[in-house]
Amino acid sequence: MKIGRLSHVGVAVESIEAHAPLYGGTLALEMLGTEVVPSQKVKVAFFKVGETRVELLEPTSPDSPIRSFLDKKGPGVHHLAYEVDDLEAALSEVKAGGVRLIDEKPRIGAGGIRIAFLHPQSTGGVLTELCERH
Ligand code: ZN
């Protein structure tokens, strides 16, 4: 498996609108856009940071995984996402290496990109996303 780069850092927030002035204003990061991802019950906003991005995640429903994260841990860093060339191959390799998968098969994330999550119990407490370069 070859990890190309850190694709993005996911940050859970109660409200993207409330945080846009920090990221887009004070930190002066370029906002690349927002998107609602119904399958994950989140609204996301991406801010460009060189070759990587910050992804703000706002829950869109009381049963959103981000809602339960916020309720348990409060706002903050939610996951790290690494970019890989071949997601199926990468999942097989990490599984063979003993990592527990949340997603046995790729699913579609923001931007139509194929993604899969690894279980934080297998990755030192860091929820880890692999996403496929496109
Ligand atoms: Zn992500």
Side-chain angles (χ1 to χ4, degrees), residues 73-98:
K73 302 190 173 175
V77 173
H78 179 259
H79 66 273
L80 298 183
Y82 299 103
E83 190 178 82
V84 297
D85 284 333
D86 181 338
L87 185 52
E88 267 97 354
L91 287 173
S92 303
E93 283 181 51
V94 295
K95 192 175 181 182

PDB file of all heavy atoms in Angstrom, residues 73-98:
ATOM      1  N   LYS A  73     -17.904  13.450  23.045  1.00  0.00           N
ATOM      2  CA  LYS A  73     -16.569  14.036  23.182  1.00  0.00           C
ATOM      3  C   LYS A  73     -16.521  15.543  23.023  1.00  0.00           C
ATOM      4  O   LYS A  73     -15.497  16.167  23.298  1.00  0.00           O
ATOM      5  CB  LYS A  73     -15.618  13.397  22.169  1.00  0.00           C
ATOM      6  CG  LYS A  73     -15.525  11.884  22.348  1.00  0.00           C
ATOM      7  CD  LYS A  73     -14.413  11.287  21.525  1.00  0.00           C
ATOM      8  CE  LYS A  73     -14.254   9.818  21.855  1.00  0.00           C
ATOM      9  NZ  LYS A  73     -13.274   9.152  21.000  1.00  0.00           N
ATOM     10  N   GLY A  74     -17.598  16.125  22.507  1.00  0.00           N
ATOM     11  CA  GLY A  74     -17.570  17.558  22.226  1.00  0.00           C
ATOM     12  C   GLY A  74     -16.895  17.833  20.901  1.00  0.00           C
ATOM     13  O   GLY A  74     -16.357  16.918  20.271  1.00  0.00           O
ATOM     14  N   PRO A  75     -16.905  19.094  20.474  1.00  0.00           N
ATOM     15  CA  PRO A  75     -16.304  19.432  19.188  1.00  0.00           C
ATOM     16  C   PRO A  75     -14.794  19.192  19.206  1.00  0.00           C
ATOM     17  O   PRO A  75     -14.164  19.305  20.256  1.00  0.00           O
ATOM     18  CB  PRO A  75     -16.599  20.927  19.017  1.00  0.00           C
ATOM     19  CG  PRO A  75     -17.426  21.347  20.172  1.00  0.00           C
ATOM     20  CD  PRO A  75     -17.457  20.236  21.176  1.00  0.00           C
ATOM     21  N   GLY A  76     -14.243  18.867  18.045  1.00  0.00           N
ATOM     22  CA  GLY A  76     -12.792  18.677  17.954  1.00  0.00           C
ATOM     23  C   GLY A  76     -12.421  17.741  16.829  1.00  0.00           C
ATOM     24  O   GLY A  76     -13.258  17.397  15.988  1.00  0.00           O
ATOM     25  N   VAL A  77     -11.154  17.318  16.841  1.00  0.00           N
ATOM     26  CA  VAL A  77     -10.652  16.448  15.773  1.00  0.00           C
ATOM     27  C   VAL A  77     -11.415  15.125  15.788  1.00  0.00           C
ATOM     28  O   VAL A  77     -11.545  14.490  16.827  1.00  0.00           O
ATOM     29  CB  VAL A  77      -9.139  16.198  15.927  1.00  0.00           C
ATOM     30  CG1 VAL A  77      -8.659  15.161  14.915  1.00  0.00           C
ATOM     31  CG2 VAL A  77      -8.364  17.500  15.741  1.00  0.00           C
ATOM     32  N   HIS A  78     -11.921  14.752  14.623  1.00  0.00           N
ATOM     33  CA  HIS A  78     -12.755  13.553  14.500  1.00  0.00           C
ATOM     34  C   HIS A  78     -12.013  12.416  13.806  1.00  0.00           C
ATOM     35  O   HIS A  78     -12.072  11.279  14.244  1.00  0.00           O
ATOM     36  CB  HIS A  78     -14.033  13.909  13.725  1.00  0.00           C
ATOM     37  CG  HIS A  78     -14.964  12.765  13.516  1.00  0.00           C
ATOM     38  ND1 HIS A  78     -15.051  12.082  12.322  1.00  0.00           N
ATOM     39  CD2 HIS A  78     -15.843  12.177  14.354  1.00  0.00           C
ATOM     40  CE1 HIS A  78     -15.963  11.120  12.439  1.00  0.00           C
ATOM     41  NE2 HIS A  78     -16.452  11.164  13.649  1.00  0.00           N
ATOM     42  N   HIS A  79     -11.334  12.706  12.713  1.00  0.00           N
ATOM     43  CA  HIS A  79     -10.590  11.646  12.018  1.00  0.00           C
ATOM     44  C   HIS A  79      -9.474  12.223  11.160  1.00  0.00           C
ATOM     45  O   HIS A  79      -9.461  13.408  10.844  1.00  0.00           O
ATOM     46  CB  HIS A  79     -11.528  10.784  11.159  1.00  0.00           C
ATOM     47  CG  HIS A  79     -12.168  11.507   9.994  1.00  0.00           C
ATOM     48  ND1 HIS A  79     -13.341  12.208  10.101  1.00  0.00           N
ATOM     49  CD2 HIS A  79     -11.783  11.637   8.698  1.00  0.00           C
ATOM     50  CE1 HIS A  79     -13.675  12.720   8.920  1.00  0.00           C
ATOM     51  NE2 HIS A  79     -12.737  12.403   8.049  1.00  0.00           N
ATOM     52  N   LEU A  80      -8.537  11.336  10.799  1.00  0.00           N
ATOM     53  CA  LEU A  80      -7.506  11.638   9.809  1.00  0.00           C
ATOM     54  C   LEU A  80      -7.806  10.805   8.570  1.00  0.00           C
ATOM     55  O   LEU A  80      -8.205   9.647   8.690  1.00  0.00           O
ATOM     56  CB  LEU A  80      -6.105  11.267  10.317  1.00  0.00           C
ATOM     57  CG  LEU A  80      -5.580  11.987  11.551  1.00  0.00           C
ATOM     58  CD1 LEU A  80      -4.153  11.520  11.840  1.00  0.00           C
ATOM     59  CD2 LEU A  80      -5.610  13.489  11.358  1.00  0.00           C
ATOM     60  N   ALA A  81      -7.603  11.402   7.413  1.00  0.00           N
ATOM     61  CA  ALA A  81      -7.870  10.685   6.162  1.00  0.00           C
ATOM     62  C   ALA A  81      -6.617  10.635   5.303  1.00  0.00           C
ATOM     63  O   ALA A  81      -6.021  11.680   5.004  1.00  0.00           O
ATOM     64  CB  ALA A  81      -9.001  11.370   5.392  1.00  0.00           C
ATOM     65  N   TYR A  82      -6.234   9.415   4.936  1.00  0.00           N
ATOM     66  CA  TYR A  82      -5.076   9.204   4.074  1.00  0.00           C
ATOM     67  C   TYR A  82      -5.547   8.831   2.679  1.00  0.00           C
ATOM     68  O   TYR A  82      -6.497   8.061   2.515  1.00  0.00           O
ATOM     69  CB  TYR A  82      -4.207   8.064   4.608  1.00  0.00           C
ATOM     70  CG  TYR A  82      -3.652   8.312   5.979  1.00  0.00           C
ATOM     71  CD1 TYR A  82      -4.204   7.692   7.095  1.00  0.00           C
ATOM     72  CD2 TYR A  82      -2.563   9.156   6.169  1.00  0.00           C
ATOM     73  CE1 TYR A  82      -3.697   7.902   8.368  1.00  0.00           C
ATOM     74  CE2 TYR A  82      -2.038   9.378   7.437  1.00  0.00           C
ATOM     75  CZ  TYR A  82      -2.610   8.747   8.528  1.00  0.00           C
ATOM     76  OH  TYR A  82      -2.112   8.956   9.785  1.00  0.00           O
ATOM     77  N   GLU A  83      -4.833   9.349   1.699  1.00  0.00           N
ATOM     78  CA  GLU A  83      -5.180   9.055   0.314  1.00  0.00           C
ATOM     79  C   GLU A  83      -4.382   7.851  -0.186  1.00  0.00           C
ATOM     80  O   GLU A  83      -3.169   7.793   0.005  1.00  0.00           O
ATOM     81  CB  GLU A  83      -4.844  10.276  -0.545  1.00  0.00           C
ATOM     82  CG  GLU A  83      -5.351  10.212  -1.953  1.00  0.00           C
ATOM     83  CD  GLU A  83      -5.006  11.493  -2.685  1.00  0.00           C
ATOM     84  OE1 GLU A  83      -3.868  11.613  -3.156  1.00  0.00           O
ATOM     85  OE2 GLU A  83      -5.863  12.389  -2.745  1.00  0.00           O
ATOM     86  N   VAL A  84      -5.076   6.912  -0.799  1.00  0.00           N
ATOM     87  CA  VAL A  84      -4.423   5.728  -1.350  1.00  0.00           C
ATOM     88  C   VAL A  84      -4.815   5.579  -2.824  1.00  0.00           C
ATOM     89  O   VAL A  84      -5.822   6.125  -3.264  1.00  0.00           O
ATOM     90  CB  VAL A  84      -4.816   4.443  -0.574  1.00  0.00           C
ATOM     91  CG1 VAL A  84      -4.351   4.519   0.871  1.00  0.00           C
ATOM     92  CG2 VAL A  84      -6.320   4.186  -0.643  1.00  0.00           C
ATOM     93  N   ASP A  85      -4.006   4.821  -3.559  1.00  0.00           N
ATOM     94  CA  ASP A  85      -4.285   4.619  -4.986  1.00  0.00           C
ATOM     95  C   ASP A  85      -5.417   3.626  -5.198  1.00  0.00           C
ATOM     96  O   ASP A  85      -6.274   3.818  -6.040  1.00  0.00           O
ATOM     97  CB  ASP A  85      -3.031   4.075  -5.695  1.00  0.00           C
ATOM     98  CG  ASP A  85      -2.014   5.180  -5.917  1.00  0.00           C
ATOM     99  OD1 ASP A  85      -2.427   6.351  -6.018  1.00  0.00           O
ATOM    100  OD2 ASP A  85      -0.817   4.870  -5.969  1.00  0.00           O
ATOM    101  N   ASP A  86      -5.375   2.534  -4.450  1.00  0.00           N
ATOM    102  CA  ASP A  86      -6.303   1.424  -4.668  1.00  0.00           C
ATOM    103  C   ASP A  86      -6.926   1.074  -3.315  1.00  0.00           C
ATOM    104  O   ASP A  86      -6.287   0.447  -2.471  1.00  0.00           O
ATOM    105  CB  ASP A  86      -5.529   0.239  -5.251  1.00  0.00           C
ATOM    106  CG  ASP A  86      -6.438  -0.959  -5.534  1.00  0.00           C
ATOM    107  OD1 ASP A  86      -7.530  -1.063  -4.936  1.00  0.00           O
ATOM    108  OD2 ASP A  86      -6.035  -1.799  -6.351  1.00  0.00           O
ATOM    109  N   LEU A  87      -8.166   1.485  -3.122  1.00  0.00           N
ATOM    110  CA  LEU A  87      -8.783   1.357  -1.801  1.00  0.00           C
ATOM    111  C   LEU A  87      -9.026  -0.103  -1.410  1.00  0.00           C
ATOM    112  O   LEU A  87      -8.766  -0.478  -0.262  1.00  0.00           O
ATOM    113  CB  LEU A  87     -10.088   2.163  -1.762  1.00  0.00           C
ATOM    114  CG  LEU A  87     -10.808   2.252  -0.430  1.00  0.00           C
ATOM    115  CD1 LEU A  87      -9.885   2.713   0.693  1.00  0.00           C
ATOM    116  CD2 LEU A  87     -12.004   3.199  -0.534  1.00  0.00           C
ATOM    117  N   GLU A  88      -9.520  -0.931  -2.339  1.00  0.00           N
ATOM    118  CA  GLU A  88      -9.754  -2.343  -2.003  1.00  0.00           C
ATOM    119  C   GLU A  88      -8.454  -3.020  -1.559  1.00  0.00           C
ATOM    120  O   GLU A  88      -8.425  -3.741  -0.572  1.00  0.00           O
ATOM    121  CB  GLU A  88     -10.330  -3.130  -3.194  1.00  0.00           C
ATOM    122  CG  GLU A  88     -11.843  -3.188  -3.219  1.00  0.00           C
ATOM    123  CD  GLU A  88     -12.415  -2.130  -4.141  1.00  0.00           C
ATOM    124  OE1 GLU A  88     -11.623  -1.308  -4.645  1.00  0.00           O
ATOM    125  OE2 GLU A  88     -13.646  -2.114  -4.331  1.00  0.00           O
ATOM    126  N   ALA A  89      -7.387  -2.757  -2.307  1.00  0.00           N
ATOM    127  CA  ALA A  89      -6.096  -3.369  -1.978  1.00  0.00           C
ATOM    128  C   ALA A  89      -5.620  -2.876  -0.615  1.00  0.00           C
ATOM    129  O   ALA A  89      -5.123  -3.662   0.203  1.00  0.00           O
ATOM    130  CB  ALA A  89      -5.066  -3.037  -3.060  1.00  0.00           C
ATOM    131  N   ALA A  90      -5.793  -1.587  -0.365  1.00  0.00           N
ATOM    132  CA  ALA A  90      -5.348  -1.021   0.914  1.00  0.00           C
ATOM    133  C   ALA A  90      -6.134  -1.637   2.072  1.00  0.00           C
ATOM    134  O   ALA A  90      -5.565  -1.984   3.115  1.00  0.00           O
ATOM    135  CB  ALA A  90      -5.516   0.499   0.898  1.00  0.00           C
ATOM    136  N   LEU A  91      -7.446  -1.826   1.879  1.00  0.00           N
ATOM    137  CA  LEU A  91      -8.268  -2.433   2.937  1.00  0.00           C
ATOM    138  C   LEU A  91      -7.823  -3.868   3.212  1.00  0.00           C
ATOM    139  O   LEU A  91      -7.742  -4.283   4.365  1.00  0.00           O
ATOM    140  CB  LEU A  91      -9.752  -2.393   2.550  1.00  0.00           C
ATOM    141  CG  LEU A  91     -10.430  -1.019   2.626  1.00  0.00           C
ATOM    142  CD1 LEU A  91     -11.847  -1.091   2.064  1.00  0.00           C
ATOM    143  CD2 LEU A  91     -10.437  -0.471   4.043  1.00  0.00           C
ATOM    144  N   SER A  92      -7.541  -4.616   2.154  1.00  0.00           N
ATOM    145  CA  SER A  92      -7.064  -5.991   2.346  1.00  0.00           C
ATOM    146  C   SER A  92      -5.760  -6.002   3.112  1.00  0.00           C
ATOM    147  O   SER A  92      -5.559  -6.832   4.000  1.00  0.00           O
ATOM    148  CB  SER A  92      -6.815  -6.683   0.997  1.00  0.00           C
ATOM    149  OG  SER A  92      -7.961  -6.664   0.236  1.00  0.00           O
ATOM    150  N   GLU A  93      -4.880  -5.086   2.759  1.00  0.00           N
ATOM    151  CA  GLU A  93      -3.564  -5.074   3.412  1.00  0.00           C
ATOM    152  C   GLU A  93      -3.661  -4.712   4.885  1.00  0.00           C
ATOM    153  O   GLU A  93      -3.032  -5.353   5.726  1.00  0.00           O
ATOM    154  CB  GLU A  93      -2.630  -4.087   2.702  1.00  0.00           C
ATOM    155  CG  GLU A  93      -2.083  -4.636   1.405  1.00  0.00           C
ATOM    156  CD  GLU A  93      -1.141  -3.652   0.738  1.00  0.00           C
ATOM    157  OE1 GLU A  93      -0.222  -3.158   1.398  1.00  0.00           O
ATOM    158  OE2 GLU A  93      -1.352  -3.365  -0.456  1.00  0.00           O
ATOM    159  N   VAL A  94      -4.441  -3.685   5.222  1.00  0.00           N
ATOM    160  CA  VAL A  94      -4.521  -3.310   6.640  1.00  0.00           C
ATOM    161  C   VAL A  94      -5.260  -4.387   7.434  1.00  0.00           C
ATOM    162  O   VAL A  94      -4.912  -4.658   8.579  1.00  0.00           O
ATOM    163  CB  VAL A  94      -5.156  -1.909   6.868  1.00  0.00           C
ATOM    164  CG1 VAL A  94      -4.286  -0.821   6.274  1.00  0.00           C
ATOM    165  CG2 VAL A  94      -6.568  -1.816   6.355  1.00  0.00           C
ATOM    166  N   LYS A  95      -6.249  -5.023   6.788  1.00  0.00           N
ATOM    167  CA  LYS A  95      -6.966  -6.100   7.470  1.00  0.00           C
ATOM    168  C   LYS A  95      -6.019  -7.268   7.748  1.00  0.00           C
ATOM    169  O   LYS A  95      -6.011  -7.829   8.853  1.00  0.00           O
ATOM    170  CB  LYS A  95      -8.146  -6.558   6.611  1.00  0.00           C
ATOM    171  CG  LYS A  95      -9.103  -7.466   7.351  1.00  0.00           C
ATOM    172  CD  LYS A  95     -10.307  -7.800   6.497  1.00  0.00           C
ATOM    173  CE  LYS A  95     -11.256  -8.700   7.279  1.00  0.00           C
ATOM    174  NZ  LYS A  95     -12.424  -9.091   6.480  1.00  0.00           N
ATOM    175  N   ALA A  96      -5.219  -7.604   6.749  1.00  0.00           N
ATOM    176  CA  ALA A  96      -4.230  -8.680   6.926  1.00  0.00           C
ATOM    177  C   ALA A  96      -3.228  -8.312   8.017  1.00  0.00           C
ATOM    178  O   ALA A  96      -2.675  -9.181   8.684  1.00  0.00           O
ATOM    179  CB  ALA A  96      -3.515  -8.946   5.603  1.00  0.00           C
ATOM    180  N   GLY A  97      -3.014  -7.024   8.202  1.00  0.00           N
ATOM    181  CA  GLY A  97      -2.095  -6.560   9.238  1.00  0.00           C
ATOM    182  C   GLY A  97      -2.733  -6.481  10.614  1.00  0.00           C
ATOM    183  O   GLY A  97      -2.101  -6.002  11.556  1.00  0.00           O
ATOM    184  N   GLY A  98      -4.000  -6.908  10.708  1.00  0.00           N
ATOM    185  CA  GLY A  98      -4.642  -6.989  12.011  1.00  0.00           C
ATOM    186  C   GLY A  98      -5.503  -5.796  12.375  1.00  0.00           C
ATOM    187  O   GLY A  98      -5.984  -5.695  13.505  1.00  0.00           O
TER     188      GLY A  98
END
